[in-house]
Amino acid sequence: MSPRLSDAGPPLHPSPSELPGRGPLLIAFSGGPDSVCLAQELKRSTTPRELICVHVDHALDEHSATRARQAADLAAALDLPCRVERLQLPRQGNVEARAREARYAALQRHMDAETTLLTAHHRDDQIETVLLRLLRGAGPAGLAGIPRLRRLGPGWLARPLLDWSREQILDRLRDLDLNWIEDPSNTLSHFDRNFLRQDILPSLRERWPGLDRAILRSARLAGAAAEELEAFAERDLADCLGEAGCLRLDRLQSLSSYRQAQLLLSWCDRLGLPRPPGRRLDSLIEQLAEARADRQPELRWSGLALRAWRSGLWLDVESWPQDYTLDWPPGEPLQLPPPLGVLRLNGTSRLPGLTVSSGRAGERFRPRPDGPRRLVQQWLAERDIPPWSRTAWPRIRLDDQLVALGTDWLDPGFADRLAAEGLELRWDRLDFAP
């Protein structure tokens, strides 16, 4: 007789009925015991949502393709479809980190806004994660460990097995006589997690039998503290954001160094951007405190940059497009080079002959009917456009005559023509663009 779901082990948390979205549930399916257990429990839950396994073949050893076929067979034995993603990873550097990053990127290719991805992280993974982050100097958010539910790409990421131990998972598979794959990389002690699992944790548990409970309790307390700190950071961010979209340095630097760092991390989170490395962020905050007025400290990471300029701290891309020219088809939106966004000309009329480009040397612009023609670079500087983005600022030309700088400054004659033809010029910019 098959055991009741309540007898199978701890309940899935979050349960399938609690998961966001209405689309498929993707299972990150290595074919190891954890992912087989997760797939089995989801199958038993009778969720009405489609279940799809996705196996990522990292191709880091000669047997990876064989394991991919075995994983597909294991999914088929559970009556579940299995998609396979094969990666090509460089073998130098931090292979463990590169593999993780590439794996999640591959999984996101199967997601949309209604999709939830489920991974089989369990209680032992949580303990290892907290210890590894402690060794790397993490703060409360990092020491909270693996979240049960968070945003990932266009959809969501959930970990329903965090209440299960590794031993409970193995017992469950043995009870149901289910097979799984053993990944040989799990025995390689030069990987940090494997070293901690195989060489360190057994000794710690022997010396301190209550180790697991204590670490998990600390993680819960750190998570609660992180939530309170995030609330403070949100209030600080609202107080420090200026009208130009940058942070006011005077208000930022009135806060403690710790609150400054939390505010900047919260700013990145709000915009859906990767967080800067902790130590380098601490260094930037120190530089801001010590820099002379004519210095412009900056921090670059993952294609992004935090830059001090004048009285503000700006968050944007590391490099801006410096040389582009685009024809603007009448009646269609124009996609600008990243990160500039999209230009639109709303209305029923059509306006042929438009081009959009980056800056040209010595170009001039007449912002007022009775005013002189002004150097564009000087005009932008006087209006607090940061120096690193001035050349990229879109110049709109009609029959090769400069008629607009973005949508903020229009040649008077061009503005009159738009009004007469019932057209509205609109620029949809990224949140962190100037």
Side-chain angles (χ1 to χ4, degrees):
M1 180 178 175
S2 174
R4 300 190 312 274
L5 188 60
S6 60
D7 295 334
L12 299 180
H13 181 41
S15 68
S17 63
E18 296 170 326
L19 295 172
R22 294 173 293 180
L25 299 178
L26 294 184
I27 305 168
F29 193 75
S30 68
D34 311 335
S35 60
V36 172
C37 181
L38 175 60
Q40 160 67 20
E41 295 305 301
L42 288 168
K43 184 76 174 178
R44 284 173 51 84
S45 73
T46 66
T47 175
R49 295 174 67 172
E50 183 182 10
L51 300 175
I52 302 172
C53 296
V54 182
H55 177 88
V56 179
D57 177 4
H58 299 89
L60 291 174
D61 66 82
E62 60 181 343
H63 301 296
S64 67
T66 299
R67 290 197 300 276
R69 290 191 294 271
Q70 291 172 338
D73 292 341
L74 290 173
L78 295 171
D79 198 24
L80 295 174
C82 185
R83 303 171 183 174
V84 176
E85 285 273 353
R86 184 173 176 83
L87 306 180
Q88 290 184 332
L89 297 173
R91 309 241 173 170
Q92 66 273 18
N94 188 334
V95 176
E96 199 173 7
R98 289 179 184 273
R100 182 185 184 280
E101 182 179 339
R103 179 168 63 252
Y104 276 100
L107 291 166
Q108 287 181 63
R109 289 196 284 270
H110 298 265
M111 299 176 66
D112 60 28
E114 296 296 326
T115 305
T116 298
L117 171 69
L118 299 105
T119 64
H121 292 90
H122 49 72
R123 191 172 71 194
D124 295 72
D125 292 322
Q126 182 75 292
I127 291 164
E128 294 160 8
T129 296
V130 173
L131 283 174
L132 286 169
R133 291 181 180 177
L134 178 64
L135 293 170
R136 293 166 186 161
L143 296 178
I146 305 170
R148 293 183 185 273
L149 182 68
R150 70 172 177 86
R151 295 300 307 228
L152 177 68
W156 293 85
L157 171 62
R159 280 80 169 230
L161 290 185
L162 283 177
D163 292 331
W164 291 59
S165 69
R166 184 178 288 113
E167 195 56 42
Q168 285 175 313
I169 288 172
L170 293 173
D171 287 344
R172 180 77 177 118
L173 298 184
R174 294 186 190 106
D175 288 344
L176 296 175
D177 198 24
L178 292 175
N179 296 319
W180 64 84
I181 302 169
E182 292 291 355
D183 187 340
S185 68
N186 289 336
T187 64
L188 301 177
S189 61
H190 62 269
F191 290 135
D192 291 344
R193 186 176 290 272
N194 291 347
F195 174 70
L196 183 65
R197 178 185 305 151
Q198 296 163 12
D199 296 356
I200 302 301
L201 274 170
S203 297
L204 292 177
R205 284 172 172 141
E206 183 177 359
R207 179 68 177 83
W208 291 282
L211 177 80
D212 290 6
R213 290 192 302 274
I215 290 175
L216 292 172
R217 181 176 185 275
S218 291
R220 288 193 297 272
L221 293 173
E227 290 180 4
E228 293 296 319
L229 290 170
E230 179 61 24
F232 273 110
E234 285 289 334
R235 290 195 290 271
D236 288 341
L237 179 59
D239 183 58
C240 292
L241 270 177
E243 293 182 1
C246 65
L247 297 178
R248 290 183 50 176
L249 274 174
D250 58 342
R251 294 189 179 180
L252 178 67
Q253 294 182 295
S254 70
L255 304 173
S256 68
S257 296
Y258 186 84
R259 284 176 66 179
Q260 289 182 53
Q262 293 303 306
L263 183 158
L264 294 173
L265 295 175
S266 181
W267 197 15
C268 292
D269 292 345
R270 175 187 288 190
L271 297 173
L273 302 174
R275 291 180 163 199
R279 291 189 181 92
R280 292 169 60 196
L281 181 60
D282 292 343
S283 177
L284 174 69
I285 292 170
E286 290 177 6
Q287 292 175 48
L288 291 174
E290 299 169 358
R292 300 192 308 268
D294 60 340
R295 298 295 300 274
Q296 298 177 4
E298 67 175 28
L299 168 60
R300 300 183 180 212
W301 80 101
S302 302
L304 303 169
L306 280 165
R307 297 183 174 101
W309 179 66
R310 292 188 176 174
S311 59
L313 185 66
W314 304 74
L315 171 59
D316 57 28
V317 294
E318 181 177 357
S319 60
W320 289 78
Q322 298 299 305
D323 186 13
Y324 66 90
T325 300
L326 305 169
D327 292 325
W328 192 347
E332 297 182 15
L334 181 66
Q335 179 68 57
L336 300 171
L340 294 173
V342 179
L343 281 171
R344 306 179 191 275
L345 198 55
N346 297 329
T348 57
S349 299
R350 299 291 181 265
L351 195 60
L354 289 175
T355 60
V356 180
S357 72
S358 53
R360 300 174 183 173
E363 63 189 347
R364 291 178 178 268
F365 173 74
R366 190 187 304 277
R368 289 184 289 272
D370 56 348
R373 295 178 64 80
R374 300 288 306 277
L375 283 169
V376 170
Q377 287 282 6
Q378 181 180 352
W379 176 265
L380 294 175
E382 291 172 355
R383 276 139 192 85
D384 291 333
I385 302 304
W388 54 85
S389 62
R390 290 173 196 159
T391 299
W393 195 275
R395 278 74 163 166
I396 301 174
R397 292 178 165 84
L398 178 61
D399 298 328
D400 208 37
Q401 291 293 116
L402 183 58
V403 294
L405 302 176
T407 55
D408 298 82
W409 303 288
L410 277 61
D411 175 272
F414 182 61
D416 291 342
R417 180 170 178 180
L418 293 182
E421 298 191 25
L423 295 171
E424 177 196 18
L425 185 62
R426 178 178 166 187
W427 182 9
D428 296 333
R429 314 180 214 184
L430 295 182
D431 286 343
F432 57 94

